[in-house]
Amino acid sequence: MRSKNKEELISQILFWKKKRQALILAHNYQIPEIQDLADFVGDSLELSQKAAQTESKLIIFCGVHFMAETASILSPDKKVLIPDLEAGCSLASMIDAEMLRQWKKNYPKAVVVSYVNTSAEVKAESDYCCTSTNAVQVVNSIPVNRQILFVPDMFLGDYVAKVTGRKNMIIYPGECHVHAKVKPADINKKMSQYPKAEFLIHPECGCVSSCMHFAANGDIPNVKTHILSTGGMMKYTKKSKSNEFVIATETGILHRLKKENPKKSFIPVRDDLVCRFMKMITLPKLLNSLKNLEYEVKVPKKIADRARIPIERMLEISN
Ligand code: 13P
Ligand code: SF4
C-alpha cells in the first residue's frame, strides 16, 4: 500500500472511529497497522475481559470469529463487528457441537473444559471455558476425582495434564495448523544458534510436550524455557533481564514485542508461523466496518445464554 493511501485510510478510520464512538480491540497477531490503531491489544483472555467491561456500545473486533463471538456473548446489548466474516480459526473448526455431544455420550460423568478457540455452540455444550493464560488454573479448580474432557487442542491439553498431574483428562485430538508446525528440531536449531536466548513457547505448539520432557531431563535448560500465552509473553519479556528471546508463536506478536521492548531482540522460531485468518483484517476492511457497520457477530440468545456460563466461570477463576 502506498504511504499516502495508507495515511489517508488511517485518517478516515480515526474520523469514523470517533464518529461511531467505537472501541477497537485487536489480538496480538494482527498486522502492525491494525495493532497501532487499536484502543487495546491483547491475548484472548484480556480481550474478553475488555469486551465485558467496556462502556462503548460498539466494539470492532480485529481478531478471529470465535473471539468476536465471545465478546458478543459477554456483551449481548452491544454491537460487535468483525471486519471480515471469513476470519475463522482452523483449531476452532476441528470440533462442532454435534461432535462434542456424541463424544460426551461416552463419558456421561465427565465435565467439559473447552478452550476459548471454539464456536459459541461448542461453548454452550461445555462446563468451563479456558484460554492459554488460565487453562492450568481452570483445570485445578475442578475436583481431582472428576473426569475432564478437554477440547479441542491436544498440545495445550497435554501440557495442562502434565502441569496439573491429572491422570483423568481425556484430550480431543485437535491442533492449530500454525502452532503444530513447531517441532523439537526447530527449538534445538535455534538453541544452538542463540545459546544466550530465552525460549518463549505458546502451549499450542507441537513441541510443547517434548520441550517439557527435555527440560525435565536437563537436556535443555529449564530456566530458559517458558510456556506462555501471548499475553504472558508480553509480560515476561518486559520483566526479564535477558536481551534475547526466541519466540515460538504466530509472528504477528513480534511487532508488539519489539515496540514495547526496543532494546531487546526477538527471533521467531520459524518465519512461516503466520495465521492467514488473523491477517484477513486489513485497513480498508476496518474502515468499511466502521463506515457501514459491517459485519455484525451476534450469537442467538438461546446459545449465548448457555455459552456465557462456562465463559463467566473462567473469568471468575481468572480474576
Ligand atoms: P492467546 O490467548 O495466547 O493470545 O492465544 C490465542 C490463539 O489463537 C493462539 O493461536
Ligand atoms: Fe486459530 Fe491457530 Fe490462527 Fe490461533 S493461530 S487463531 S489457533 S488458526
Side-chain angles (χ1 to χ4, degrees):
M1 200 182 301
R2 286 211 332 269
S3 69
K4 182 142 184 275
N5 283 353
K6 196 165 137 183
E7 272 167 35
E8 227 169 86
L9 264 172
I10 291 173
S11 81
Q12 284 184 49
I13 288 168
L14 293 173
F15 169 83
W16 280 97
K17 175 177 150 30
K18 198 167 171 199
K19 189 174 164 80
R20 297 287 189 209
Q21 297 184 308
L23 177 82
I24 301 181
L25 298 179
H27 187 264
N28 288 323
Y29 298 159
Q30 289 290 294
I31 59 168
E33 294 85 341
I34 297 284
Q35 292 194 28
D36 293 346
L37 276 167
D39 294 294
F40 182 78
V41 186
D43 68 12
S44 312
L45 176 66
E46 294 162 337
L47 294 173
S48 61
Q49 287 166 329
K50 275 277 166 213
Q53 292 155 4
T54 181
E55 302 271 293
S56 300
K57 293 272 176 280
L58 178 66
I59 301 173
I60 315 286
F61 212 110
C62 298
V64 292
H65 195 266
F66 75 80
M67 296 179 177
E69 268 189 345
T70 308
S72 160
I73 293 165
L74 288 170
S75 304
D77 52 329
K78 289 170 194 152
K79 202 187 248 309
V80 178
L81 304 177
I82 189 164
D84 188 334
L85 275 173
E86 297 295 306
C89 166
S90 64
L91 176 57
S93 26
M94 290 223 149
I95 188 163
D96 64 22
E98 186 48 32
M99 288 156 85
L100 179 53
R101 277 193 289 272
Q102 290 306 324
W103 204 44
K104 274 166 53 169
K105 279 188 188 158
N106 303 327
Y107 307 95
K109 292 198 175 135
V111 291
V112 178
V113 177
S114 63
Y115 191 29
V116 70
N117 298 42
T118 46
S119 66
E121 289 81 1
V122 166
K123 290 187 180 79
E125 291 291 334
S126 308
D127 301 289
Y128 293 83
C129 186
C130 73
T131 71
S132 50
T133 304
N134 56 27
V136 168
Q137 245 178 309
V138 168
V139 166
N140 273 335
S141 76
I142 299 167
V144 279
N145 53 344
R146 285 301 294 275
Q147 192 172 44
I148 295 175
L149 298 185
F150 190 92
V151 288
D153 190 88
M154 61 179 169
F155 298 114
L156 174 66
D158 198 36
Y159 163 73
V160 173
K162 281 200 173 76
V163 173
T164 60
R166 298 286 287 232
K167 300 281 175 262
N168 53 358
M169 263 176 81
I170 303 173
I171 299 162
Y172 194 81
E175 62 177 31
C176 152
H177 73 295
V178 180
H179 288 85
K181 278 197 270 198
V182 186
K183 299 283 187 270
D186 297 307
I187 304 287
N188 288 339
K189 190 172 152 198
K190 286 288 188 278
M191 283 208 166
S192 49
Q193 281 174 333
Y194 301 94
K196 290 200 182 119
E198 290 203 76
F199 280 67
L200 309 189
I201 302 169
H202 195 278
E204 284 176 24
C205 285
C207 64
V208 160
S209 314
S210 345
C211 281
M212 287 179 78
H213 183 73
F214 294 157
N217 286 352
D219 296 337
I220 57 174
N222 210 351
V223 284
K224 280 176 45 182
T225 315
H226 310 278
I227 297 167
L228 295 166
S229 65
T230 62
M233 290 183 187
M234 291 309 311
K235 290 188 187 99
Y236 185 79
T237 47
K238 259 192 196 155
K239 69 165 205 243
S240 166
K241 291 204 167 58
S242 297
N243 284 320
E244 202 172 53
F245 302 87
V246 172
I247 305 296
T249 193
E250 211 272 353
T251 51
I253 196 173
L254 294 166
H255 172 68
R256 201 175 151 208
L257 284 169
K258 289 176 186 164
K259 190 172 160 181
E260 294 184 20
N261 305 279
K263 294 202 173 119
K264 301 188 175 183
S265 87
F266 299 95
I267 303 112
V269 74
R270 292 173 60 119
D271 293 323
D272 62 351
L273 299 183
V274 179
C275 172
R276 67 184 172 86
F277 301 111
M278 284 283 179
K279 308 306 178 214
M280 283 180 179
I281 313 298
T282 57
L283 292 179
K285 288 182 195 170
L286 173 57
L287 175 60
N288 174 64
S289 206
L290 284 160
K291 236 170 148 172
N292 300 316
L293 299 175
E294 287 177 336
Y295 297 91
E296 184 163 11
V297 176
K298 185 97 195 137
V299 179
K301 186 174 172 350
K302 252 180 149 173
I303 302 283
D305 287 347
R306 289 173 60 210
R308 197 173 299 114
I309 299 168
I311 301 172
E312 282 181 345
R313 262 186 203 144
M314 166 188 83
L315 292 175
E316 252 169 58
I317 294 166
S318 312
N319 280 338

